Amino acid sequence: MKENYSFTVNGIVRNTDQDKPLLRYLRDDLHLHSVKDGCSEGACGTCTIIVDGKAVKSCVLTTKLAVGKKIITTEGLSDEEKEAFVYAFGAKGSVQCGFCIPGMVMAGKALIDRVPDPTEEEIKTALKGNICRCTGYKKIIEGIQLAAAILRGDEKIEETLEKGEIYGVGKKAFRLDVREKVLGYGEYPDDVEMEGMVYASAVRSRYPRAKILDIHCEKALALPGVLDVLTAEDVPNNKVGHLQQDWDVMIARGGITRCVGDAICLVVAETREILEKAKKLIRIDYEELKPVTSVREAMAEDAPKVHSAGNLCQSRHVTRGDAKKALKNSKYVVTRTYRTPFTEHAFLEPECAVAFPYKDGVKVLSSDQGVYDTRKEISIMFGWEPERVVVENKLVGGGFGGKEDVSAQHIAALAAVKVNRPVKVVFSRQESINFHPKRHAMEGTFTLGCDENGIFTGLDCEIYFDTGAYASLCGPVLERACTHSVGPYCYQNTDIRGFGYYTNNPPAGAFRGFGVCQSEFALESNINLLAEMVGISPWEIRYRNAIEPGKVLPNGQIADCSTALKETLLAVKDAYESNPGRAGIACAMKNAGVGVGLPDKGRAKLIVHDGKVELYSAASDIGQGCATVFVQMVAETTGLGREKIRNMGANSEVAPDSGTTSGSRQTLITGEAVRMAASDLNEELQKAEGDLSKLEGREFFAEFFDPTDKLGADVPYPKSHVAYGFATHVVILDDEGRVKEVYAAHDSGKVVNPISIQGQIEGGVLMGLGYALTEDFPLKDSVPQARYGTLGLLRAPQIPDIHAIYVEKKELLPFAYGAKGIGEIATIPTAPAVQGAYYAMDHVLRTKLPMENTYYSKKRKAVK
Amino acid sequence: MGRNRKKKVAVVQCTGGCRRAGDIPDPERYGDCRQAVLEHPEGILPCRWGCIGLGSCVQACRLDAIYISRSGSAETDWSRCVGCGLCVKACPRGLIRITAPEYPIYPACVSEDEGAQTRKYCDQGCIACGMCVKNCPAEAIRIENNRAVIDEEKCIACGMCAVKCPRGAIRDHDGIFTVREERVVK
């Protein structure tokens, strides 16, 4: 006789005879999609629900253990609670990518039910099992506090805020996606269900480097419910890759694997359960080979070639003036070698895509940073015209650079075309960790000189990047590491050599900061040593050298009128100087826009339809909030309210290509295109005396392109990028060496959304703190050792007080209302500022990340 | 601001798994645990680590926050417990630990005997199989002297160890992941 497990879900008695994780029951059987599957290991908290009044992870609890219990998911909140959380999370800016949010709401509710007026400490404790990678937790904590106050009756919901009649640039805009993300009905790819949908998953290599002798699929194929098992032979063109097509879709029989993430075959089955069973029936015969585990090994003359053309993937030489001479004649010179680790993006939403046959090709519902990039990679794989592939983004649960390459999309498309059914591919958390490109591990030697007054004279450096098994974005990332290794200063002698090597480690590619986190950590640490030799403070040496409008950056670009690095330095001066012996400081610059001579274009199309302005622009909102920013730009230009404007999302079939969400470019590049289109619309609107209905059916298209000079261009003052953002961070330690406070002052031009920018800064800072102190990605013979819960991601109880400061200048760039990007720069100066704070405390220069011998490293070690 | 609601609570690290049915002391038999341990150097129960159930802790508690459950071992009631530590002092076995209510998941066994030995006399004792270590997402649990130990600095109280423990030796005080022995109403 079958068992019967009975419990109550959102007030309804439910029965099942299957013993399985409650998460799967809630999502698959009851279709309660607010319960997100972020890891299925108990580590991330996205599946948090309330069981008998306690916040519980539904992936840990099982249907059997749930017998007799009362379960509530976000769908089961009362209307009053729903409204309180939607308003509070919107007003406080708690929502970015949104994947962690329903779990946060449930953890918050469980606490509020117990303690109606929770303190900040109590909220942090209640959230200790819930990871957020976007916000830095502060905004979520504030959101829960406000929700509690509303539910107590101490605060009121201001309905006008969500309506957004006033929604222009600089206004407190309630993000477009708050409601769907807080209540959990917004769709990420994994929430998509289609008639006849089947599942596919890759069997991946057991070894980082091994020859595939044979693949035995017979047993799996014989299993009822298995539709097909695809191998490399089934792929029309077995290569993909964001820029360089060096990435095998699957490793063929006789081929050699390059990392443990490599797919060997792709199983397609009717259900998830059958799929898992079938994958276990696949047998692969390997001949294990010794992997290339480091840049040093890759450089060796007799090293095995990871790719046939050799192990050097990319190199760059950035030079200006005469660094050798300048350093020789410098009063003070410092040379140090720095090492930084691979870092995992750890976005909360693992890769997922749903693909189905569509017109004469295939359509992919995706979660990525550029639908046109994904379209291009997939069409290369099929050998098709790109138009036959349509890619539409659903909600994106975080990217940070890690979703620029295809991961699940192309294999879903391949399977969908093969079995002629809709196919969902969803990565397990470990698969995600093993597969997608990381932040490059770096080893770099930096020599920086200055004169007797601390004025920098020249920089010589050599940077080695481990790009792992595939190129991904090695070229541009390495290039940004090189071009930005100079820092936001004014000297003119540089000699920078960068090399990216293939190894059998997991691939490395784009990650918020794009190479600059590594090189500026090294440079800023050297600067502190020079300051000491000159006998001035780390603040002073930076101020003396700081770039300002009209001066020339080390790359030759003349700093534009909006440049406000000095303003950011002044904004943190008091905080820095009032904490002697425990404060560290660092500056950074980061380009907005791809630049370096590339055709980096923003495009937008506005269509007046049904009395509303529909905005079409394929620019991925990965949680940072650009979709809202664009609507604000339309609102600012036309004076229309939010309810008159609809952002139609990123869909390659209907929205023009507006480039990748990368290089902090969307607010500026796409933002300006949107502003231009809106301006044309507004002209017509004025002619129509403000009557939008008279413009019904009209289209307004705009393309923005501000040309730049390519690297090494033979012009006296090459313009490398459309704009640069600048920042200064100050990190303050407490007596135990814990980070107590961070002051993060940013120049990102005009602030479009003041709530959102704070969340971007706070989240960026916390990511930088993790990079500095706790996050690591250990490898053992090229095999990742970390699981989601052991990556060292900072949790809510560990966060310091982060003060997000933005300086807004009167002089602005003439684009996008003067906005520059904020996406990446917030993560860059934090690690060197932490380094500086520890150096101020104990005079030990920590040249390796995560830093050793800190409060945090001791905590980690103590329990091992 | 300024409010201090950092509540502390006690947990008893034994489920009384070595007792046989009918061997449960009733309140009339409550006595002095320490005295009993001294008087019976050869042992009282098959397990020399666990709770002997004579209720010294119950007598020490001023808030009626600890009781002898139906399984014969002591159990705390967090709705009353304030974590004062009197029971900790009263227990001759050192079974009671002070923790915070946000860590309801705890290994309820302190036996340092080999797994095979523990298995002989107790159906709930920790046998140091390491299943919890393997499944903990936070690397917060380790085996030390043949028993599971949780590091609360790292623990996120997800309950995975309690669910995966084949012996039921890791308990959830909230009674969600594992069954809780409620107080028998007198």
Side-chain angles (χ1 to χ4, degrees):
Chain A
M1 203 186 88
K2 277 196 167 174
E3 294 282 342
N4 177 41
Y5 309 117
S6 177
F7 39 80
T8 313
V9 180
N10 297 333
I12 301 167
V13 177
R14 301 285 183 178
N15 293 287
T16 177
D17 55 17
Q18 288 179 305
D19 179 17
K20 58 179 176 184
L22 198 59
L23 167 63
R24 292 264 57 95
Y25 178 75
L26 296 172
R27 281 189 67 83
D28 303 341
D29 296 41
L30 300 187
H31 312 285
L32 296 171
H33 291 162
S34 76
V35 190
K36 302 293 177 203
D37 180 6
C39 72
S40 277
E41 295 172 356
C44 76
T46 57
C47 67
T48 303
I49 54 170
I50 296 177
V51 179
D52 286 356
K54 304 272 178 188
V56 160
K57 287 165 182 167
S58 61
C59 68
V60 179
L61 199 64
T62 59
T63 46
K64 189 177 174 181
L65 289 168
V67 167
K69 305 228 176 341
K70 276 204 187 80
I71 293 157
I72 307 173
T73 70
T74 314
E75 289 88 347
L77 295 177
S78 70
D79 288 345
E80 194 194 358
E81 287 168 330
K82 283 180 181 172
E83 291 307 314
F85 276 103
V86 167
Y87 172 75
F89 275 41
K92 291 293 177 186
S94 318
V95 176
Q96 289 190 31
C97 89
F99 205 76
C100 74
I101 292 296
M104 294 285 183
V105 168
M106 297 319 277
K109 175 188 153 56
L111 173 65
I112 294 170
D113 283 350
R114 202 159 40 81
V115 187
D117 57 341
T119 62
E120 192 180 319
E121 285 313 307
E122 284 168 326
I123 297 172
K124 284 179 181 174
T125 303
L127 299 183
K128 80 173 186 298
N130 296 60
I131 297 273
C132 169
R133 191 65 163 157
C134 297
T135 64
Y137 303 102
K138 188 175 168 185
K139 296 273 177 270
I140 292 174
I141 294 165
E142 289 171 5
I144 291 173
Q145 271 170 333
L146 179 56
I150 292 166
L151 291 169
R152 288 197 308 272
D154 291 351
E155 294 277 352
K156 281 210 166 60
I157 293 175
E158 283 176 48
E159 278 165 17
T160 50
L161 189 64
E162 189 178 359
K163 276 209 182 101
E165 273 168 41
I166 300 163
Y167 210 69
V169 169
K171 301 295 185 303
K172 197 179 164 192
F174 198 93
R175 279 177 62 134
L176 304 171
D177 48 6
V178 171
R179 184 165 288 271
E180 58 177 340
K181 285 177 172 174
V182 169
L183 300 181
Y185 65 80
E187 277 191 344
Y188 299 83
D190 194 22
D191 300 326
V192 173
E193 291 176 356
M194 291 179 77
E195 187 71 36
M197 187 172 79
V198 296
Y199 299 83
S201 178
V203 176
R204 299 187 184 274
S205 180
R206 185 179 299 167
Y207 307 102
R209 188 163 170 269
K211 191 170 181 182
I212 304 301
L213 302 176
D214 208 352
I215 307 164
H216 306 277
C217 312
E218 308 75 25
K219 278 188 183 164
L221 281 165
L223 188 72
V226 172
L227 298 166
D228 210 340
V229 179
L230 310 178
T231 62
E233 290 149 32
D234 298 295
V235 192
N237 171 22
N238 195 29
K239 291 280 185 188
V240 291
H242 190 89
L243 298 167
Q244 288 168 258
Q245 279 77 50
D246 65 350
W247 203 328
D248 294 47
V249 176
M250 285 179 266
I251 305 293
R253 274 189 190 85
I256 294 176
T257 66
R258 300 190 184 89
C259 64
V260 282
D262 274 341
I264 293 165
C265 61
L266 182 65
V267 185
V268 193
E270 293 281 354
T271 67
R272 279 168 175 269
E273 292 76 22
I274 299 169
L275 182 62
E276 281 316 304
K277 248 188 230 166
K279 280 175 74 179
K280 290 195 181 101
L281 295 174
I282 302 278
R283 219 186 76 229
I284 297 160
D285 300 334
Y286 297 94
E287 180 192 337
E288 200 186 342
L289 302 167
K290 197 176 172 316
V292 179
T293 66
S294 68
V295 169
R296 249 167 239 280
E297 286 179 27
M299 286 167 76
E301 249 173 53
D302 58 345
K305 285 182 180 170
V306 179
H307 289 269
S308 55
N311 290 342
L312 181 63
C313 173
Q314 289 281 340
S315 66
R316 292 289 186 280
H317 189 193
V318 178
T319 181
R320 192 174 163 84
D322 189 341
K324 207 176 227 176
K325 197 171 136 201
L327 287 167
K328 205 177 148 199
N329 298 329
S330 295
K331 170 104 178 174
Y332 302 108
V333 174
V334 155
T335 301
R336 290 290 186 280
T337 297
Y338 296 88
R339 285 183 188 83
T340 64
F342 285 109
T343 317
E344 158 66 31
H345 303 75
F347 36 69
L348 266 298
E349 179 212 18
E351 293 86 341
C352 180
V354 177
F356 52 94
Y358 183 72
K359 294 184 181 171
D360 63 340
V362 65
K363 183 166 177 177
V364 184
L365 304 176
S366 177
S367 166
D368 61 43
Q369 299 187 214
V371 290
Y372 280 86
D373 299 327
T374 299
R375 184 180 85 156
K376 182 181 130 205
E377 287 200 61
I378 294 173
S379 64
I380 288 172
M381 177 185 77
F382 282 122
W384 290 353
E385 288 301 310
E387 291 72 21
R388 287 176 68 186
V389 180
V390 172
V391 182
E392 180 185 341
N393 251 345
K394 304 302 286 181
L395 293 177
V396 183
F400 312 112
K403 288 179 182 166
E404 289 193 32
D405 305 83
V406 289
S407 51
Q409 301 93 334
H410 61 311
I411 54 178
L414 182 72
V417 168
K418 192 79 184 168
V419 303
N420 205 27
R421 303 259 295 262
V423 176
K424 180 185 279 185
V425 174
V426 54
F427 278 17
S428 74
R429 179 51 75 174
Q430 203 59 45
E431 193 176 9
S432 168
I433 287 175
N434 291 352
F435 180 86
H436 72 248
K438 313 288 163 242
R439 190 189 295 292
H440 288 87
M442 177 201 79
E443 183 177 322
T445 301
F446 281 61
T447 303
L448 180 69
C450 70
D451 67 12
E452 63 281 7
N453 296 316
I455 304 302
F456 302 145
T457 49
L459 172 76
D460 176 281
C461 64
E462 196 153 290
I463 295 168
Y464 289 91
F465 266 15
D466 184 343
T467 201
Y470 297 102
S472 180
L473 283 90
C474 179
V477 175
L478 179 68
E479 189 173 295
R480 283 300 75 66
C482 292
T483 58
H484 288 55
S485 63
V486 293
Y489 308 109
C490 306
Y491 56 105
Q492 294 297 311
N493 300 296
T494 55
D495 190 334
I496 302 146
R497 299 160 311 274
F499 306 92
Y501 277 90
Y502 286 123
T503 65
N504 290 117
N505 294 331
F511 192 159
R512 190 183 203 171
F514 216 77
V516 186
C517 290
Q518 294 95 313
S519 59
E520 288 205 0
F521 167 65
L523 179 86
E524 291 289 316
S525 299
N526 267 6
I527 289 175
N528 293 343
L529 300 178
L530 283 182
E532 201 173 17
M533 292 158 101
V534 177
I536 55 177
S537 84
W539 186 90
E540 183 63 32
I541 196 169
R542 286 173 172 83
Y543 195 75
R544 286 186 191 180
N545 285 284
I547 187 74
E548 50 188 302
K551 285 197 176 175
V552 184
L553 282 159
N555 64 8
Q557 181 161 341
I558 299 167
D560 63 54
C561 65
S562 74
T563 303
L565 175 66
K566 284 201 155 173
E567 286 82 348
T568 67
L569 272 158
L570 290 168
V572 296
K573 189 173 190 236
D574 284 350
Y576 179 73
E577 290 185 345
S578 55
N579 287 284
R582 59 173 68 203
I585 187 167
C587 299
M589 64 189 270
K590 183 70 185 69
N591 53 294
V594 174
V596 290
L598 293 163
D600 185 21
K601 292 176 182 173
R603 297 186 184 92
K605 186 166 68 178
L606 299 174
I607 300 177
V608 183
H609 180 69
D610 278 347
K612 289 188 176 177
V613 178
E614 291 180 345
L615 162 61
Y616 293 87
S617 178
S620 295
D621 190 331
I622 59 174
Q624 84 280 34
C626 68
T628 301
V629 161
F630 303 148
V631 171
Q632 286 184 268
M633 299 248 173
V634 177
E636 179 70 26
T637 315
T638 60
L640 296 168
R642 174 192 162 173
E643 296 202 325
K644 288 280 176 201
I645 309 161
R646 292 179 65 198
N647 191 325
M648 307 303 285
N651 177 338
S652 70
E653 194 174 29
V654 292
D657 182 5
S658 203
T660 317
T661 292
S662 185
S664 305
R665 60 180 291 286
Q666 294 297 14
T667 295
L668 170 55
I669 307 285
T670 303
E672 173 61 7
V674 171
R675 190 204 62 76
M676 287 160 70
S679 176
D680 292 347
L681 183 145
N682 190 48
E683 220 167 273
E684 296 300 310
L685 190 62
Q686 294 312 315
K687 282 183 203 159
E689 286 161 352
D691 185 356
L692 192 61
S693 67
K694 289 206 176 121
L695 304 183
E696 186 69 21
R698 295 279 302 273
E699 280 189 30
F700 303 88
F701 174 82
E703 179 178 288
F704 168 63
F705 176 50
D706 186 43
T708 51
D709 296 311
K710 68 181 200 310
L711 201 64
D714 190 20
V715 288
Y717 300 108
K719 178 178 169 179
S720 286
H721 292 100
V722 179
Y724 290 105
F726 297 93
T728 307
H729 287 188
V730 165
V731 166
I732 298 163
L733 304 177
D734 69 9
D735 292 337
E736 288 178 87
R738 235 184 319 210
V739 176
K740 189 176 77 175
E741 279 180 288
V742 181
Y743 289 84
H746 282 262
D747 154 32
S748 60
K750 175 74 187 166
V751 171
V752 182
N753 189 336
I755 320 174
S756 275
I757 199 170
Q758 284 181 11
Q760 281 284 303
I761 295 172
E762 289 156 10
V765 166
L766 201 72
M767 201 176 251
L769 286 175
Y771 188 50
L773 295 164
T774 56
E775 288 180 39
D776 205 354
F777 195 74
L779 298 167
K780 193 176 167 197
D781 296 329
S782 296
V783 181
Q785 301 297 301
R787 289 193 288 158
Y788 196 80
T790 62
L791 289 165
L793 307 173
L794 289 163
R795 292 181 177 273
Q798 294 172 288
I799 65 166
D801 225 343
I802 300 171
H803 309 273
I805 303 160
Y806 44 83
V807 298
E808 268 185 306
K809 248 181 131 157
K810 277 211 188 87
E811 299 82 7
L812 296 168
L813 286 174
F815 310 126
Y817 291 103
K820 306 191 274 189
I822 186 70
E824 295 170 281
I825 190 165
T827 304
I828 299 169
T830 316
V834 173
Q835 203 293 126
Y838 278 104
Y839 188 74
M841 196 170 233
D842 62 12
H843 226 70
V844 176
L845 186 79
R846 292 163 173 83
T847 56
K848 193 172 156 261
L849 296 181
M851 289 175 210
E852 289 169 344
N853 199 19
T854 65
Y855 170 87
Y856 301 88
S857 66
K858 284 171 196 160
K859 283 279 170 212
R860 274 153 74 92
K861 234 181 240 165
V863 280
K864 277 251 159 125
Chain B
M1 277 302 165
R3 279 182 298 172
N4 187 5
R5 285 196 294 227
K6 278 246 157 188
K7 186 178 153 113
K8 292 279 174 195
V9 287
V11 288
V12 182
Q13 303 170 94
C14 177
T15 57
C18 72
R19 289 176 183 276
R20 303 288 173 264
D23 189 22
I24 311 299
D26 58 48
E28 280 77 59
R29 281 174 54 198
Y30 281 4
D32 185 336
C33 296
R34 198 171 299 275
Q35 193 64 29
V37 169
L38 285 174
E39 283 170 9
H40 299 277
E42 75 288 359
I44 298 162
L45 290 166
C47 171
R48 66 192 176 93
W49 303 93
C51 177
I52 55 175
L54 291 177
S56 283
C57 52
V58 179
Q59 286 157 8
C61 181
R62 293 174 187 165
L63 297 169
D64 193 22
I66 193 162
Y67 55 96
I68 304 298
S69 75
R70 275 179 301 188
S71 66
S73 61
E75 179 75 83
T76 51
D77 176 351
W78 285 2
S79 65
R80 300 177 186 210
C81 179
V82 295
C84 70
L86 285 173
C87 57
V88 177
K89 283 188 198 138
C91 178
R93 296 281 207 219
L95 286 172
I96 307 178
R97 192 166 59 86
I98 300 296
T99 181
E102 60 262 28
Y103 298 107
I105 312 293
Y106 65 103
C109 176
V110 300
S111 168
E112 294 179 12
D113 287 345
E114 295 279 336
Q117 177 72 16
T118 305
R119 214 184 263 281
K120 274 184 203 156
Y121 58 69
C122 179
D123 56 13
Q124 288 172 352
C126 177
I127 52 167
C129 67
M131 203 64 159
C132 50
V133 179
K134 210 176 133 210
N135 282 286
C136 174
E139 279 182 354
I141 195 158
R142 64 189 187 278
I143 301 293
E144 204 175 271
N145 300 325
N146 286 320
R147 63 185 176 108
V149 180
I150 289 181
D151 173 8
E152 290 186 350
E153 190 81 38
K154 288 181 162 187
C155 176
I156 52 172
C158 67
M160 190 63 93
C161 53
V163 169
K164 297 289 178 185
C165 178
R167 307 275 296 165
I170 301 179
R171 313 292 287 184
D172 173 11
H173 203 282
D174 288 340
I176 290 168
F177 297 107
T178 59
V179 181
R180 218 177 98 74
E181 285 293 342
E182 293 298 338
R183 187 190 292 247
V184 184
V185 184
K186 290 165 199 166

Coordinates of all heavy atoms in Angstrom, one line a residue, chain A residues 25 51 62-63 162 170 173 216 220 234 237 323 347 384-385 415 439 499 521 537 546 549 842:
Chain A
Y25 N 7.9 19.3 -4.7 CA 6.4 19.1 -4.6 C 5.7 20.5 -4.8 O 4.8 20.6 -5.6 CB 6.0 18.5 -3.3 CG 4.5 18.4 -3.1 CD1 3.8 17.4 -3.8 CD2 3.8 19.3 -2.4 CE1 2.4 17.3 -3.8 CE2 2.4 19.2 -2.3 CZ 1.7 18.2 -3.0 OH 0.4 18.1 -2.9
V51 N 6.9 27.0 7.9 CA 6.3 25.8 8.3 C 6.0 25.9 9.8 O 6.9 26.1 10.6 CB 7.2 24.6 8.0 CG1 6.6 23.3 8.5 CG2 7.6 24.5 6.6
T62 N 11.0 17.4 3.6 CA 10.4 16.5 2.6 C 8.9 16.4 2.8 O 8.4 16.8 3.8 CB 11.0 15.0 2.7 OG1 10.8 14.6 4.0 CG2 12.5 15.0 2.5
T63 N 8.3 15.9 1.8 CA 6.8 15.7 1.9 C 6.5 14.8 3.1 O 5.5 15.0 3.9 CB 6.2 15.1 0.7 OG1 7.0 14.0 0.3 CG2 6.2 16.1 -0.5
E162 N 4.1 53.7 -6.2 CA 4.2 52.6 -7.2 C 3.5 53.0 -8.5 O 4.0 52.6 -9.6 CB 3.5 51.3 -6.6 CG 3.7 50.1 -7.5 CD 3.0 48.9 -7.0 OE1 2.4 48.9 -5.9 OE2 3.1 47.8 -7.7
G170 N 16.3 61.1 -11.8 CA 16.6 61.6 -10.5 C 15.4 61.5 -9.5 O 15.6 61.8 -8.3
A173 N 12.2 56.5 -8.1 CA 11.3 55.6 -8.9 C 11.2 54.2 -8.3 O 12.2 53.6 -8.0 CB 11.9 55.6 -10.3
H216 N 28.8 5.1 -24.0 CA 27.8 4.0 -24.1 C 26.5 4.6 -23.6 O 26.3 4.9 -22.5 CB 28.2 2.9 -23.2 CG 29.6 2.3 -23.5 ND1 29.9 1.5 -24.5 CD2 30.8 2.6 -22.9 CE1 31.2 1.2 -24.5 NE2 31.8 1.9 -23.6
A220 N 20.7 3.9 -21.4 CA 19.9 5.1 -21.2 C 18.8 5.2 -22.3 O 17.7 5.5 -22.0 CB 20.8 6.4 -21.2
D234 N 25.9 15.0 -33.2 CA 24.6 15.5 -33.5 C 24.6 17.0 -33.6 O 23.6 17.7 -33.9 CB 23.6 15.1 -32.4 CG 23.4 13.6 -32.4 OD1 22.9 13.0 -33.3 OD2 23.8 13.0 -31.3
N237 N 27.6 22.4 -36.0 CA 28.9 22.9 -35.8 C 29.3 22.9 -34.3 O 28.6 23.7 -33.6 CB 29.0 24.4 -36.4 CG 30.3 25.1 -36.1 OD1 31.3 24.4 -35.8 ND2 30.3 26.4 -36.1
A323 N 58.3 54.2 -19.7 CA 58.2 53.8 -18.3 C 59.6 53.5 -17.6 O 59.9 53.8 -16.5 CB 57.3 52.6 -18.1
F347 N 25.6 34.0 -8.6 CA 24.2 34.6 -8.8 C 23.2 33.6 -8.3 O 23.4 32.4 -8.3 CB 23.9 34.9 -10.3 CG 24.6 34.0 -11.3 CD1 24.1 32.6 -11.4 CD2 25.6 34.4 -12.1 CE1 24.7 31.8 -12.3 CE2 26.2 33.5 -13.0 CZ 25.8 32.2 -13.1
W384 N 23.2 28.5 -39.1 CA 22.0 29.1 -39.6 C 22.2 30.6 -39.8 O 23.1 31.2 -39.2 CB 20.8 28.9 -38.7 CG 20.2 27.6 -38.5 CD1 20.6 26.5 -39.3 CD2 19.2 27.2 -37.6 NE1 19.8 25.4 -38.9 CE2 19.0 25.8 -37.8 CE3 18.5 27.8 -36.6 CZ2 18.1 25.1 -37.1 CZ3 17.6 27.1 -35.9 CH2 17.4 25.7 -36.1
E385 N 21.3 31.2 -40.5 CA 21.1 32.7 -40.4 C 20.7 33.0 -39.0 O 19.8 32.4 -38.5 CB 20.1 33.2 -41.5 CG 20.5 33.1 -42.9 CD 21.8 33.8 -43.2 OE1 21.9 35.0 -42.8 OE2 22.8 33.3 -43.7
A415 N 18.5 20.4 -28.4 CA 17.6 19.3 -28.1 C 16.2 19.6 -28.6 O 15.6 18.7 -29.1 CB 17.6 19.2 -26.6
R439 N 35.8 34.9 -12.4 CA 36.7 36.0 -12.5 C 38.1 35.4 -12.6 O 38.4 34.4 -12.0 CB 36.7 36.8 -11.2 CG 37.5 38.1 -11.3 CD 37.6 38.8 -9.9 NE 36.4 39.3 -9.3 CZ 35.6 40.3 -9.8 NH1 35.9 40.9 -10.9 NH2 34.6 40.7 -9.1
F499 N 49.1 38.8 -20.2 CA 49.0 37.5 -20.8 C 47.9 36.6 -20.2 O 47.8 36.5 -19.0 CB 50.3 36.7 -20.7 CG 51.5 37.5 -21.2 CD1 52.2 38.3 -20.2 CD2 51.9 37.5 -22.5 CE1 53.3 39.1 -20.7 CE2 53.0 38.3 -22.9 CZ 53.7 39.1 -22.0
F521 N 43.7 46.3 -7.4 CA 44.1 45.9 -6.1 C 45.6 46.0 -5.9 O 46.1 46.5 -4.9 CB 43.6 44.4 -5.9 CG 44.3 43.8 -4.7 CD1 44.0 44.2 -3.4 CD2 45.1 42.7 -4.8 CE1 44.6 43.7 -2.3 CE2 45.7 42.1 -3.7 CZ 45.5 42.6 -2.4
S537 N 50.1 61.0 3.7 CA 49.1 60.0 4.0 C 48.6 59.3 2.7 O 48.7 59.9 1.6 CB 47.9 60.6 4.7 OG 47.0 61.2 3.8
A546 N 45.3 62.8 -8.3 CA 43.9 62.5 -8.8 C 43.7 63.2 -10.1 O 44.1 64.3 -10.3 CB 42.9 62.9 -7.8
P549 N 39.1 67.2 -14.5 CA 38.7 67.6 -15.9 C 39.8 68.4 -16.6 O 40.5 69.2 -16.0 CB 37.5 68.5 -15.6 CG 36.9 68.1 -14.3 CD 38.1 67.7 -13.5
D842 N 48.4 46.7 11.2 CA 49.5 45.9 11.6 C 50.8 46.0 10.7 O 51.7 45.2 10.9 CB 49.1 44.4 11.8 CG 48.6 43.8 10.5 OD1 48.8 44.4 9.4 OD2 48.0 42.7 10.5

